[in-house]
Amino acid sequence: MRGQIISEQYNHIVWVKDKDGAQYACYGNGDDKVRRKEDLTYADQQKCLNLNVVLGDTW
């Protein structure tokens, strides 16, 4: 049950880059067509996590 909930929520994550090449994990509608952060709505952009900050430069 718990794994199903996590899997369902994971499917809502969109993996995008911004114009400078930074990578983000954004919690949104799970639209695979979105590739750039700028293509997201402002509300969805506020739900993004900059992965370069989390993982660091050596990842």
Side-chain angles (χ1 to χ4, degrees):
M1 175 69 173
R2 186 174 180 173
Q4 290 174 335
I5 294 171
I6 293 170
S7 177
E8 184 178 316
Q9 295 303 313
Y10 181 82
N11 288 330
H12 291 283
I13 296 175
V14 179
W15 309 94
V16 297
K17 291 185 178 183
D18 69 4
K19 63 183 180 215
D20 298 323
Q23 298 177 347
Y24 292 85
C26 303
Y27 189 78
N29 60 8
D31 185 1
D32 288 336
K33 296 176 185 173
V34 175
R35 297 285 181 225
R36 299 179 325 143
K37 185 179 176 191
E38 294 80 16
D39 294 336
L40 296 170
T41 65
Y42 179 77
D44 284 341
Q45 287 182 19
Q46 300 307 305
K47 301 174 190 172
C48 293
L49 176 64
N50 185 339
L51 297 177
N52 297 53
V53 174
V54 175
L55 298 175
D57 294 334
T58 59
W59 175 253

